[in-house]
Structures are given as structure tokens and as C-alpha cells.
């Protein structure tokens, strides 16, 4: 028999509040091209991305600490599949522990030729030093910066 | 600490992949539930409560229990839903029976393939502040985890394909539909360092289990119950950058709790088989270590000498595991169902003969964020023999 399918496309917009901590973080990126973390007074750990509280100690964080612009690749991957609202593949992204931070922040890697994955993987090897590069025109979002080999 | 009251799996049904487009999701849920009840020799009137686990993004419905309440028998009954993981539905069901308020439960989880892109749907799991701008779907998280493991233990890259091959051989014995398997194992990088050939394509699926209290099993003289001998679960930080992705501390904690309850001293020699949720071979290696089955320095010898084949000393994934068949959201509950079936002696073509104690590991979320361990035995208490 004839089996029917029904296709639906929803178009709903969410407007998420960032809160004071994430707002200040992204304003510093947008206006001053600087990345800050939040220090947990109890453990001294600097959390990047910043959080109003540590999810380990459940204590409020107390202090802004500038981190980077240098850092170390913690992990990475190269993506060969297209996503909506993201760059054309292939591209590389991963997590970088910025100097002075105790946790790693996600971001894109640029300036590495990805046409040969094995060679690119050697260049992006975990532990490799990178530097943060900021876009000239910044909007206060994660795409305002990326990482390049130091 | 052990639970006050023992629970056993007394019936199950696995539909994966769901064949064709002849059934709506509700009809699939009805079928899988009725099959599990039939396997247990029960009717819906014998069921006190229901817990379901499903993913709203994959279902394309908000509060997807709405699709289940009628189809699995929830009308005028006690039914709860969890969106975190199918295995969490099982954990919740066991705890509810242990509470003494219920004698029987039906557990159901499902995973349709009706969204245009699972990857895009999975990205909704990331926070909208720091991670939504990244291509952070489950495949990316698997790859970031594989890269981290490969840096910490380079032998992982060497063992990945042998693990995939063993899983597919077992999957073939189990009679899984091979259509989800990539044809060319060397083809392309899905996400470096994962190759397309290492990961099964996502399939649809639905899994249902019937569980019952020790009192119910005794009073109804149920044949071949698979007793829950130990259970543990734990969760890792949501931000991947907070974690060392080459390790699985939440799984270590889940295993510690399960082993303590079951009285397992040496997990490496305790089980007749284990079912591990390794969507990638790298996840399977991480689980070996965290479960105490094989430490990093023993991986190479254990994998290459066939310790984990279906005829080896410790059969891993006689069902083929998630590398052979991956019904995404219900893969974890499928491992639980497979391990319980082995203990009940109803696993089918891939039955491990005389299986008396089995471990099921379920993992869900980004890079195994949620970790769950179940230990099943053919005896309510005591050792393996």
C-alpha cells in the first residue's frame, strides 16, 4: 500500500540570557580582544570559559584572571561534514588550555592546510603551542577568536 | 551499598533497525512493549509502573513521553520519563522496585531516524553560550575523545581496527543487518582520527525490558530471571574542556559502586561476558581501563591475542556492540538487554554458553558523559558458580 510521510520544519527563535559572568567575558573579547577566566577561591583553579560558580566545589568564583593569548592544544579534530550556520568543511576545531587557565576552551584552528589529514594532524598534535588570534571586527561571540600555531 | 530488595529482568524485546516505514513511532513502541511482555509471559495488567527514556530532539516532539503514554500502556498507570539516557530509565525502574512500592516495571527506550540530521539535533545538547558555535555533535565529541586517547596511549590507533573487525564478526554471528556497516573501511575521515569505516551508521531502534521484584519472581516461579547483582552510575562535567577525555572517572565510579554491591573483587576474571557501549573502538578501550578489565599496558596483548573474542577468556560484545549496530539513543539500554538475555540463556545465535555473570556498560551524552554499569547474575546472591 501507499505509505505516507509528513515533513515538518519548525522555525522557532530562542533568546538566551547570558548572565553577568558570560556577558562580561564576551564584552572583553569584543571591546578589548582579551580572554578572562574566573578563579575559584577554594581551589585556586581558573575556569575558562568563565563560570559564576565552580561545578566541582559549588562555591561562587570570586575573581577575573586574564588568560592566554598563548596556550596548548588539549584535543582536536578535523571535520569533513557540513553543518548549518558553520564554515564550509573541512576545518579543524578542538580545545585549548590557555596560559593561566586550568580548563580548556573550545575554538577553531586556522592557518593549517587540511588537504592531507595525516600531515595536518601532526601539526595540530596534542600538546602543540598555539596563540589566540582575534578578528578585526568582533561581535561578542566565540567566533571572534581562533587559534593558530605559535 | 546494596539495595533492600532484589530485581530481575524477566523479559525483553529489541527492534533494531526498525524495518521500513510501515509503522509510526507509536506503533513501534506498542510492538516493542507487547513483545517484551510476551517474552516475560505477562500482560499489561501485570505491570505496576513504566519508565521510558527518549530524546525529544530525535523524536521531533517536545516531551516525547506524549508519544509513549498510550502506546506502551501508560494510560491510567504510573509512567515516568527521562530524557538523559535509555539506561537511566532502567536504573530508575530498578530503584522503584527496590522501594517496595512496585512489583513489576516496563522499561522502554527508542531512537527513530526521522530528523534531517542527527548531528544538527545533537548540537542542541550544547550550551548556547560557549559551545553552540562549534560543530559539537556526538561524532565530534567521539573524535576529540579518540584524539585525546591516541595522544595519551598511541597504541589505541593501532588497536582500533582490530576491535572494529572483531565487533563486526560478532555482529555477523548475531545476525545483525549489515546494511549500516560502511563498505570501505579505509574510506574518508568522518572526523579525524575516526575513519568512516570505524563507526556504524546510525540506525533506528526500540528496546523494552520487563523487570520484577524478588517477591514477584518467587511467587510466580519465573524461569531464568537475570538478577540485577550490582548497579552504579555517575556523570562527568558537561564542558568537554574540563575533562581529560582519555580517561573516564565517572565510569570508574559507576563500576566501583556496582562491583561493591555485587561483591566483585577482580573484574578481569569475574564475568562470562561483558557488553560495552563503545560507539568507537576508542571508547571501548577507555571502558576496558575504567572497568578494570584490561589496563592500558595490557590492551595490546589482550586485543591481539583474542582475549575478548566470543571464544576468548572474556567475550566482549558477543552481540557485536555499537560498532556493529548503533541505534543511537537506545544503544545503552540495548547493552543492558543483551547482557540480561545472555544470563537468561535467550541471547539467540550469539548466546555464550553457560553464562552466569555478565556486565553491561552503558554510556550516553557527549564523549560518554553519563556512565552506567549493571551486573547481571543467574543467581540472586553468591558467586559465579
Amino acid at each position: 500500500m501507499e505509505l505516507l510521510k509528513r515533513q515538518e520544519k519548525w522555525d522557532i527563535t530562542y533568546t538566551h540570557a547570558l548572565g553577568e559572568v558570560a556577558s562580561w567575558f564576551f564584552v572583553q573579547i569584543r571591546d578589548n580582544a582579551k580572554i578572562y577566566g574566573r578563579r575559584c577561591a577554594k581551589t585556586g583553579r581558573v575556569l575558562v570559559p568563565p563560570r559564576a560558580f565552580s561545578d566541582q566545589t559549588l562555591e561562587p568564583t570570586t575573581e577575573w584572571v586574564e588568560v592566554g593569548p598563548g596556550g596548548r592544544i588539549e584535543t582536536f579534530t578535523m571535520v569533513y561534514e557540513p553543518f548549518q550556520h558553520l564554515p564550509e568543511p573541512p576545518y579543524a576545531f578542538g580545545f585549548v588550555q590557555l596560559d593561566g587557565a586550568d580548563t580548556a576552551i573550545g575554538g577553531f584552528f586556522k592557518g593549517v592546510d587540511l588537504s592531507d589529514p595525516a600531515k595536518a594532524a601532526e601539526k595540530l598534535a596534542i600538546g602543540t603551542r598555539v596563540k589566540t588570534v582575534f578578528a578585526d571586527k568582533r561581535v561578542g561571540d566565540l567566533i571572534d577568536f581562533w587559534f593558530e600555531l605559535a | 551499598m546494596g539495595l533492600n530488595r532484589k530485581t530481575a529482568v524477566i523479559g525483553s524485546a529489541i527492534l533494531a533497525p526498525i524495518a521500513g516505514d510501515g509503522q509510526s513511532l507509536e506503533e513501534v513502541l506498542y510492538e516493542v512493549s507487547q513483545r517484551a511482555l510476551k517474552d516475560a509471559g505477562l500482560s499489561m495488567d501485570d505491570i505496576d509502573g513504566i519508565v521510558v527514556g527518549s530524546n525529544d530532539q530525535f523524536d521531533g516532539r517536545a516531551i516525547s513521553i506524549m508519544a509513549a503514554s498510550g502506546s506502551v500502556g501508560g494510560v491510567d498507570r504510573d509512567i515516568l520519563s527521562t530524557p538523559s539516557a535509555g539506561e537511566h530509565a532502567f536504573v530508575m525502574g530498578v530503584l522503584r522496585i527496590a522501594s517496595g512500592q512496585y512489583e513489576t516495571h516496563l522499561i522502554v527506550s527508542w531512537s527513530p531516524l526521522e530528523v534531517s540530521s542527527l548531528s544538527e539535533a545533537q548540537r542542541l545538547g550544547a550550551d548556547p553560550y560557549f559551545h553552540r558555535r562549534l560543530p559539537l555533535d556526538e561524532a565530534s565529541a567521539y573524535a576529540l575523545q579518540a584524539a585525546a586517547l591516541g595522544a595519551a596511549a598511541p597504541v589505541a590507533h593501532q588497536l582500533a581496527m582490530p576491535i572494529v573487525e572483531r565487533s563486526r564478526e560478532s555482529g555477523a554471528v548475531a545476525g545483525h543487518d549489515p546494511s549500516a556497516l560502511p563498505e570501505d573501511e579505509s574510506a574518508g575521515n568522518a572526523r579525524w582520527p575516526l575513519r568512516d569505516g570505524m563507526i556504524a551508521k546510525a540506525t533506528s531502534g526500540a528496546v523494552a525490558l520487563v523487570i520484577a521484584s524478588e517477591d514477584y519472581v518467587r511467587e510466580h516461579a519465573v524461569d531464568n530471571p537475570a538478577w540485577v547483582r550490582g548497579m552504579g552510575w555517575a556523570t562527568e562535567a558537561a564542558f568537554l574542556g574540563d575533562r581529560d577525555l582519555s580517561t573516564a572517572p565517572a565510569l570508574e565510579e559507576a563500576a566501583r559502586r556496582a562491583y561493591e554491591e555485587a561483591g566483585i573483587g577482580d573484574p578481569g576474571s569475574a564475568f562470562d561476558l561483558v557488553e560495552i557501549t563503545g560507539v568507537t573502538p576508542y571508547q571501548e578501550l577507555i571502558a576496558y581501563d575504567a572497568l578494570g578489565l584490561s589496563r592500558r599496558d595490557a590492551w595490546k596483548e589482550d586485543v591481539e591475542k583474542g582475549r575478548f573474542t566470543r571464544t576468548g577468556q572474556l567475550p566482549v560484545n558477543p552481540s557485536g556492540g555499537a560498532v556493529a549496530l548503533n541505534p543511537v539513543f537506545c544503544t545503552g539500554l540495548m547493552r543492558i538487554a543483551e547482557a540480561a538475555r545472555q544470563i537468561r540463556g535467550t541471547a539467540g545465535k550469539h548466546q555464550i554458553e553457560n553464562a552466569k555473570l555478565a556486565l553491561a556498560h552503558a554510556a550516553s551524552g557527549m564523549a560518554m558523559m553519563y556512565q552506567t554499569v549493571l551486573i547481571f547474575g543467574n543467581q540472586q546472591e553468591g558467586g559465579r558458580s
Side-chain angles (χ1 to χ4, degrees):
Chain A
M1 64 169 288
E2 184 188 8
L3 294 170
L4 301 180
K5 289 188 177 183
R6 186 143 301 156
Q7 192 170 66
E8 285 192 297
K9 186 169 183 173
W10 287 76
D11 186 359
I12 300 176
T13 301
Y14 295 87
T15 305
H16 300 292
L18 269 66
E20 287 182 8
V21 165
S23 295
W24 196 89
F25 171 79
F26 283 116
V27 166
Q28 293 308 311
I29 288 173
R30 184 190 66 196
D31 296 351
N32 302 318
K34 286 182 188 295
I35 296 182
Y36 287 82
R38 288 285 289 180
R39 193 189 302 281
C40 170
K42 193 166 180 180
T43 60
R45 293 171 79 236
V46 175
L47 305 179
V48 182
R51 276 146 278 182
F53 53 87
S54 159
D55 63 8
Q56 288 190 343
T57 64
L58 295 180
E59 294 287 333
T61 55
T62 50
E63 185 190 354
W64 286 105
V65 180
E66 188 182 348
V67 296
R72 172 191 187 275
I73 298 177
E74 290 293 311
T75 190
F76 75 99
T77 183
M78 290 174 272
V79 178
Y80 295 82
E81 178 187 359
F83 282 96
Q84 292 174 39
H85 317 301
L86 285 175
E88 278 294 303
Y91 49 80
F93 90 104
F95 284 80
V96 166
Q97 190 159 321
L98 293 167
D99 295 340
D102 290 287
T103 60
I105 187 167
F108 291 93
F109 298 106
K110 291 188 186 173
V112 174
D113 178 7
L114 300 177
S115 57
D116 182 338
K119 277 188 188 161
E122 278 175 32
K123 290 199 170 138
L124 291 167
I126 289 170
T128 300
R129 294 285 305 168
V130 292
K131 62 184 177 192
T132 312
V133 179
F134 291 88
D136 292 334
K137 196 175 163 193
R138 297 182 297 276
V139 295
D141 203 344
L142 199 81
I143 48 173
D144 287 346
F145 67 91
W146 58 87
F147 304 110
E148 294 183 6
L149 300 180
Chain B
M1 203 177 81
L3 298 174
N4 296 331
R5 197 169 183 234
K6 294 286 182 188
T7 301
V9 174
I10 64 168
S12 65
I14 298 172
L15 299 178
I18 298 162
D21 296 315
Q23 290 173 302
S24 69
L25 178 60
E26 283 83 343
E27 290 160 353
V28 169
L29 301 184
Y30 171 76
E31 183 184 338
V32 77
S33 303
Q34 290 296 316
R35 283 202 197 187
L37 288 167
K38 192 176 174 198
D39 186 47
L42 270 59
S43 77
M44 202 59 218
D45 289 341
D46 302 313
I47 297 294
D48 298 340
I50 305 165
V51 187
V52 299
S54 59
N55 179 303
D56 290 3
Q57 294 103 288
F58 297 173
D59 286 5
R61 308 174 189 208
I63 321 173
S64 48
I65 190 176
M66 296 294 283
S69 56
S71 51
V72 307
V75 174
D76 293 334
R77 275 196 187 78
D78 177 324
I79 179 167
L80 288 181
S81 167
T82 171
S84 51
E87 57 268 26
H88 289 175
F90 187 85
V91 166
M92 207 189 298
V94 171
L95 292 175
R96 283 176 18 121
I97 285 182
S99 76
Q101 295 193 26
Y102 307 87
E103 299 303 326
T104 55
H105 253 65
L106 177 66
I107 312 296
V108 191
S109 181
W110 58 91
S111 194
L113 277 185
E114 296 188 339
V115 63
S116 57
S117 162
L118 281 178
S119 289
E120 298 284 2
Q122 286 161 358
R123 288 183 60 216
L124 275 170
D127 68 86
Y129 322 114
F130 305 113
H131 295 95
R132 191 68 66 73
R133 288 289 195 178
L134 300 171
L136 205 48
D137 62 345
E138 289 184 5
S140 287
Y142 299 150
L144 294 167
Q145 189 177 30
L149 182 65
V155 71
H157 292 310
Q158 195 184 328
L159 301 177
M161 282 318 291
I163 289 174
V164 167
E165 281 154 21
R166 191 207 68 227
S167 305
R168 299 219 168 121
E169 281 166 18
S170 295
V173 171
H176 286 334
D177 178 353
S179 63
L181 300 183
E183 285 170 12
D184 180 3
E185 292 185 350
S186 64
N189 281 102
R191 303 277 199 286
W192 192 94
L194 300 175
R195 305 192 70 83
D196 287 321
M198 284 181 188
I199 315 172
K201 288 179 204 157
T203 63
S204 55
V207 179
L209 294 109
V210 177
I211 59 177
S213 72
E214 57 185 284
D215 300 315
Y216 188 93
V217 168
R218 192 181 55 248
E219 285 161 20
H220 294 80
V222 175
D223 284 337
N224 303 330
W227 293 102
V228 175
R229 297 289 306 274
M231 183 166 80
W233 64 102
T235 301
E236 304 219 4
F239 285 8
L240 292 182
D242 288 6
R243 295 168 51 186
D244 173 355
L245 294 176
S246 71
T247 65
L251 181 53
E252 290 172 25
E253 171 61 13
R256 187 191 65 72
R257 289 168 56 177
Y259 293 164
E260 187 179 300
E261 185 182 351
I264 305 286
D266 175 15
S269 64
F271 304 109
D272 296 300
L273 70 125
V274 302
E275 281 281 337
I276 288 175
T277 299
V279 178
T280 73
Y282 295 88
Q283 292 194 329
E284 183 167 320
L285 288 165
I286 290 170
Y288 290 164
D289 195 62
L291 290 167
L293 304 175
S294 171
R295 297 298 179 190
R296 271 185 194 177
D297 56 7
W299 286 352
K300 187 170 159 60
E301 189 177 333
D302 284 344
V303 170
E304 290 181 349
K305 290 201 173 161
R307 183 176 168 222
F308 303 133
T309 64
R310 50 174 293 108
T311 53
Q313 184 229 330
L314 176 60
V316 170
N317 290 341
S319 69
V323 166
L325 186 73
N326 181 24
V328 187
F329 192 77
C330 54
T331 285
L333 192 61
M334 192 163 161
R335 304 277 76 72
I336 291 171
E338 286 283 357
R341 285 174 168 205
Q342 290 282 356
I343 295 302
R344 297 186 68 222
T346 59
K349 295 172 191 158
H350 53 293
Q351 177 70 45
I352 298 294
E353 219 173 300
N354 210 18
K356 293 173 177 163
L357 203 64
L359 179 149
H361 158 241
S364 297
M366 287 292 167
M368 306 165 108
M369 179 180 168
Y370 308 119
Q371 300 276 17
T372 304
V373 175
L374 265 300
I375 296 166
F376 292 104
N378 69 337
Q379 301 295 319
Q380 193 175 329
E381 326 248 355
R384 175 149 53 137
S385 52

